[in-house]
Amino acid sequence: FEELNGKSPTAVYGEGDGFKANGMFQIFEDSEKSIWVSSRGTVGSGHGLSRMRPGESKFHNFTKEDGYPDAKSVASFAQDSSGRIWMGFYEGGLAVYEGGKFRVFGGNKGLPENGHITDIHIDAESRIWLATSIDGLFQIKDPAATVPAFERVNLGSSAVSDNVRTVTDDRFGRLYLGTAR
């Protein structure tokens, strides 16, 4: 950190560089070293997703034409072993980016319509776990399915809160949940 003291940044990115807003929300680097940035602006505008691939100097802002849902900001990212990028939205719902296209899932597919997906975890068996701010924990057992099934996990009476913020596992396959309480 001492080496950074007094140095100027290599680059500064904002709305003129492919973002819908200057409010950066989440940043994710995928296995191909592309940088994904979720932005949040004022309510109803400025929410979006941009990506810069290695060797590029400007971010590409995804739009409806790319299949990206309007007025959504990504709150959580994960990449599975097949290279698919999974994204949970702050405004509710989930998307997967595969083969240059987005597939979006919401309340009509078994996910909560409200409340954001706070974390996405992929375990050693390639199951996807979704932490949500309202409805606890969901599991996708077969993420490769054309229409994946989303199953709400019954946390039982021992759960302190259905507002699950983070999920991870250990080498024995046990899940650990962090809640708002």
Side-chain angles (χ1 to χ4, degrees), residues 101-117:
K101 297 180 182 178
F102 291 94
R103 282 189 295 152
V104 181
F105 310 99
N108 61 340
K109 302 289 189 210
L111 284 172
E113 198 62 44
N114 298 311
H116 68 281
I117 296 178

Side-chain angles (χ1 to χ4, degrees), residues 21 27 38 118 127-128 138 151 167-168:
I27 301 172
S38 170
T118 57
R127 293 175 299 196
I128 297 178
F138 283 78
E151 182 180 315
V167 59
T168 192

Side-chain angles (χ1 to χ4, degrees), residues 17-38:
D17 302 294
F19 297 116
K20 286 185 82 174
N22 285 328
M24 305 305 124
F25 185 48
Q26 296 291 335
I27 301 172
F28 175 75
E29 182 180 20
D30 66 24
S31 63
E32 296 178 349
K33 304 293 183 198
S34 291
I35 304 295
W36 300 74
V37 178
S38 170

Side-chain angles (χ1 to χ4, degrees), residues 85-129:
I85 309 289
W86 295 85
M87 300 165 223
F89 296 115
Y90 182 84
E91 299 78 15
L94 177 78
V96 61
Y97 184 79
E98 177 180 26
K101 297 180 182 178
F102 291 94
R103 282 189 295 152
V104 181
F105 310 99
N108 61 340
K109 302 289 189 210
L111 284 172
E113 198 62 44
N114 298 311
H116 68 281
I117 296 178
T118 57
D119 194 17
I120 303 172
H121 176 70
I122 302 172
D123 68 17
E125 295 179 30
S126 297
R127 293 175 299 196
I128 297 178
W129 301 90

Side-chain angles (χ1 to χ4, degrees), residues 11 17 35 42 46 55 58 69 77 95 100 120 160 164 167 181:
D17 302 294
I35 304 295
T42 58
K58 188 172 181 178
F77 290 93
I120 303 172
V160 175
V164 179
V167 59
R181 293 190 176 191

Side-chain angles (χ1 to χ4, degrees), residues 53-111:
R53 292 181 170 150
E56 295 178 345
S57 60
K58 188 172 181 178
F59 282 84
H60 166 74
N61 181 50
F62 291 101
T63 65
K64 281 183 177 181
E65 288 76 31
D66 298 306
Y68 187 78
D70 202 26
K72 293 266 193 176
S73 54
V74 178
S76 53
F77 290 93
Q79 185 172 16
D80 66 22
S81 60
S82 296
R84 294 179 291 255
I85 309 289
W86 295 85
M87 300 165 223
F89 296 115
Y90 182 84
E91 299 78 15
L94 177 78
V96 61
Y97 184 79
E98 177 180 26
K101 297 180 182 178
F102 291 94
R103 282 189 295 152
V104 181
F105 310 99
N108 61 340
K109 302 289 189 210
L111 284 172

